[in-house]
Amino acid sequence: MTRRDHLTSRLVLAAALAVMVVGIVILAVAASRPVSSGWFAYAPLSGTTFTAAGVHVLSTASLVGAGVVVVGLLLLAGWLGYRQGARRRS
């Protein structure tokens, strides 16, 4: 590996770890806050089915935190694959 490749590899590793830490912090903050939920009932004899768009068990912040952690894990997996390939080339 050249010096530039080594520096790029370290920067990608640092970015992956930073993204994962940010995602974990978002998840921790979201888990510490209570999630408010409403009560839904049906409208009798309306002839239509009520569906609430965007309703999920987790809060939006929890979903964002989980997504950020997944992006960090993907970056880390890419970094590991790059390192394995670079090691086999040399």
Side-chain angles (χ1 to χ4, degrees), residues 34-56:
V35 177
S36 63
S37 60
W39 178 66
F40 297 99
Y42 67 95
L45 303 175
S46 66
T48 61
T49 304
F50 176 76
T51 57
V55 175
H56 41 75

Side-chain angles (χ1 to χ4, degrees):
M1 284 178 85
T2 65
R3 184 178 173 111
R4 182 176 180 204
D5 291 340
H6 194 61
L7 178 64
T8 303
S9 176
R10 285 189 180 190
L11 287 175
V12 170
L13 174 62
L17 293 175
V19 168
M20 285 179 55
V21 167
V22 168
I24 290 170
V25 168
I26 291 171
L27 277 172
V29 169
S32 68
R33 295 185 178 166
V35 177
S36 63
S37 60
W39 178 66
F40 297 99
Y42 67 95
L45 303 175
S46 66
T48 61
T49 304
F50 176 76
T51 57
V55 175
H56 41 75
V57 176
L58 300 172
S59 68
T60 303
S62 295
L63 294 174
V64 168
V68 170
V69 169
V70 167
V71 168
L73 288 172
L74 287 172
L75 278 171
L76 187 60
W79 176 80
L80 286 171
Y82 176 76
R83 292 289 294 179
Q84 281 293 104
R87 185 180 306 160
R88 289 187 182 175
R89 270 186 270 151
S90 54

